[in-house]
Amino acid sequence: MRTHTEHAAIVAALLAPALRAVALREPERLPIDDAALSGRIAACEIRAEIPLPPFDNSQMDGYAVRTADFAGGAPRTLVVGLAAAAGDAPIACAPGTACPVMTGAPIPVGADAVIPIEQAEPPRFGQLRRPSDPAPPDAQAAETVTFASAPQPGAFVRGQGSDHAAGGPLLLAGARLRPASIGLLASAGVATVPVRRRVRILLVSTGDEVTAPGEPLAPGRIYDANAPLLAAALRDAGADVTARRVADRPEALRACIAAAGEHDLLVTSGGISAGAFEVVRDAFDAGDRSGRAGSGVTVGSGVEFTAIAMQPGGPQGAGTVDIDGVRLPTLCFPGNPVSSALSAELFLLPLLREHAGLPARGARTTARLAHDTASPEHKHQVRRGRFLADGSVALSPPSSHLLADLASAELLAHIPIGVAHLAAGSPIEIQRFDV
C-alpha cells in the first residue's frame, strides 16, 4: 500500500509538465482593477515611465518660501503671494514672497522650502488668491505673514522622484500583485498589467445522490458540498475552475469532459471506491480503457486507482485522461467531503500555490495533545482539531463525513503510521489549517 508521501511525489511528477507549460504561455494582460481583485503574479518586470512623485510638491499645508529670503536671519516678514492647491499648475514665487500651498500642491517655481501654517504668524490663512482670481485693487495693502525661524532648504518638500526614479523597476517578474503593489503601479500610470496565466482546472463532482444547493432535495439525495468546497479551495490557490456535476453513468462523465473545452488539469470527486456504481473508476480504470463521448470524440484513460495508507482519503486516483489524443493530467479524489478536502490539501493545493507564487500554508510544528486518542496503526491518520486555552490541541473524530468539524477546525494533526495510541500530553505534529 502506497504512503501519502509517495502519492504526493507521484502527483507532483504528474503535474510538473502541465504546470511548466502554463508558466510558458503568453502572459495575460489585465486592467489594473482586475489584477487588484485576483492576486495575480507579474509575468515580467514593469518599469516606471515617470518619476514618483512626478514633481516637487508640498508635504504640508503652509507657505512655500525661498530660503534665500532668510539670509539675514529670523524673524522674517514676507508678502503673501498667490496660493496653490493640489492639482494646480506650478506658479512662481517671487523674492520676498510667501506663497500659500496646500498638501500635494506643486512647489512654486523659485521656492525651495515649506513652512507649516502652524509655524506662521498669524497661524491661519487669510484671504487667498489663486492665479485665476482677479487682481486686488491697487489701493489695497499687501497682506503679510511673519515667520519666527528660518527653514532649511527642502523642508517639507516631497522631491520629484524621491519615492521612485523614472526607469526603475516597479515590480519584478514573479512578484505577487499585492494591494500596495497595485497602488504603486497605479501611481505610475500603469493601466494594464501582464500576469502569468492561471492553471485551468475542470472539476467534476459525481454521484446520482448529489443535488445543487438551492434545488429541491428529493428523498435519498444530499446537497453537493464537494464542488463548491473544492472550487473555493482551488481558486484560493490561484487556479481558474470550471465546476460540473454528473450522474453515475460513465458515458455521462466522458461526455462532460469531452464537452468542457481546454483545461490543464481534471479533478474529480467521488466514484473511486471498491463498491458498485463507482462512476469514475468505471469510466477511467487503468488499462487504457476508452469509450465514445458523443460527437465522435473518444475518451481514453491511463488513470491508476490505488489505496493510500491514509485516513481519511484512502482511495485515490492519478494519471491521464486522453481526449482524442490530448492527454489531460487527472486526479481523482474520494467522495466524502472531508476526504476530498484533505486530499486536495495534501496532494494538490501546495503545488498550485507554489505555481501561483502564493505563500506556502500550513507549516508543520508540534503541540501537546489534550486527551488520549487512538489511530489505526497501519495508516497515517489526519485529524482535525482546535487549540484550547492552555495551548494544547483537542481533536475531532476521524469520520470523513464530519464537514461541520472541518469547517470549524483550526489545525490538522498528523498521527504517523505505526502509532496506535497517544496519551494526553503527548507531542503531536500539527499544521495550521483553513481549507
Side-chain angles (χ1 to χ4, degrees):
M1 186 178 289
R2 186 184 297 167
T3 67
H4 77 289
T5 53
E6 291 170 339
H7 188 69
I10 289 171
V11 170
L14 172 68
L15 298 191
L19 296 179
R20 283 196 298 269
V22 174
L24 292 174
R25 285 194 195 125
E26 185 72 19
E28 180 182 3
R29 296 200 70 92
L30 288 181
I32 193 166
D33 289 343
D34 293 341
L37 293 173
S38 55
R40 302 296 286 268
I41 303 300
C44 58
E45 184 178 81
I46 302 174
R47 291 184 171 270
E49 295 185 2
I50 60 171
L52 299 177
F55 51 83
D56 293 349
N57 69 87
S58 180
Q59 185 178 336
M60 305 287 287
D61 294 331
Y63 288 93
V65 298
R66 306 167 70 108
T67 54
D69 286 337
F70 291 81
R76 182 74 169 170
T77 298
L78 301 174
V79 173
V80 176
L82 293 174
D88 287 353
I91 59 175
C93 182
T97 300
C99 292
V101 290
M102 307 306 125
T103 301
I107 298 297
V109 177
D112 59 352
V114 172
I115 300 176
I117 184 63
E118 297 85 357
Q119 297 175 18
E121 181 56 46
R124 67 192 65 84
F125 293 119
Q127 185 68 37
L128 299 183
R129 187 169 63 89
R130 299 172 76 176
S132 59
D133 294 336
D138 293 340
Q140 182 175 330
E143 186 178 351
T144 61
V145 60
T146 300
F147 305 103
S149 59
Q152 294 295 315
F156 299 107
V157 174
R158 298 169 176 157
Q160 180 187 57
S162 58
D163 184 22
H164 199 282
L170 296 164
L171 204 64
L172 299 178
R176 187 183 181 193
L177 290 166
R178 300 181 294 111
S181 305
I182 294 294
L184 178 62
L185 294 173
S187 72
V190 176
T192 61
V193 186
V195 297
R196 287 182 184 171
R197 296 282 178 176
R198 284 180 155 174
V199 180
R200 301 163 299 181
I201 298 179
L202 174 60
L203 171 65
V204 182
S205 178
T206 68
D208 286 336
E209 75 278 15
V210 296
T211 298
E215 296 295 322
L217 195 64
R221 302 190 65 142
I222 59 173
Y223 285 119
D224 178 19
N226 284 2
L229 187 160
L230 290 173
L234 297 172
R235 289 178 181 128
D236 184 62
D240 281 333
V241 181
T242 302
R244 297 286 186 267
R245 295 180 182 88
V246 299
D248 283 333
R249 298 192 308 278
E251 67 276 11
L253 175 57
R254 289 192 290 261
C256 172
I257 295 168
E262 190 174 357
H263 291 84
D264 305 304
L265 172 64
L266 168 64
V267 175
T268 68
S269 70
I272 63 171
S273 296
F277 313 116
E278 300 292 342
V279 61
V280 176
R281 182 185 285 270
D282 290 345
F284 303 131
D285 205 353
D288 203 24
R289 181 178 299 180
S290 64
R292 306 299 289 181
S295 302
V297 178
T298 300
V299 177
S301 173
V303 177
E304 178 188 7
F305 296 93
T306 187
I308 306 296
M310 182 176 85
Q311 184 190 59
Q316 295 289 330
T320 59
V321 167
D322 189 303
I323 306 173
D324 268 2
V326 177
R327 291 189 173 183
L328 181 64
T330 300
L331 298 182
C332 303
F333 296 150
N336 279 312
V338 175
S339 299
S340 199
L342 295 187
S343 297
E345 185 71 26
L346 294 181
F347 303 131
L348 177 55
L349 298 183
L351 301 175
L352 294 178
R353 294 184 69 83
E354 181 181 11
H355 171 81
L358 299 174
R361 223 173 42 177
R364 296 193 183 187
T365 184
T366 302
R368 181 170 51 86
L369 189 59
H371 52 78
D372 292 355
T373 193
S375 176
E377 191 171 2
H378 60 288
K379 292 185 177 182
H380 179 100
Q381 191 176 64
V382 185
R383 298 277 289 274
R384 287 75 63 205
R386 304 179 194 83
F387 291 103
L388 301 184
D390 64 358
S392 64
V393 297
L395 305 183
S396 304
S399 296
S400 57
H401 72 288
L402 300 177
L403 190 53
D405 279 337
L406 178 67
S408 62
E410 297 177 301
L411 58 94
L412 295 181
H414 295 268
I415 305 176
I417 295 172
V419 176
H421 180 267
L422 287 175
S426 298
I428 187 169
E429 186 181 66
I430 65 166
Q431 63 184 117
R432 295 302 297 258
F433 173 69
D434 179 10
V435 75

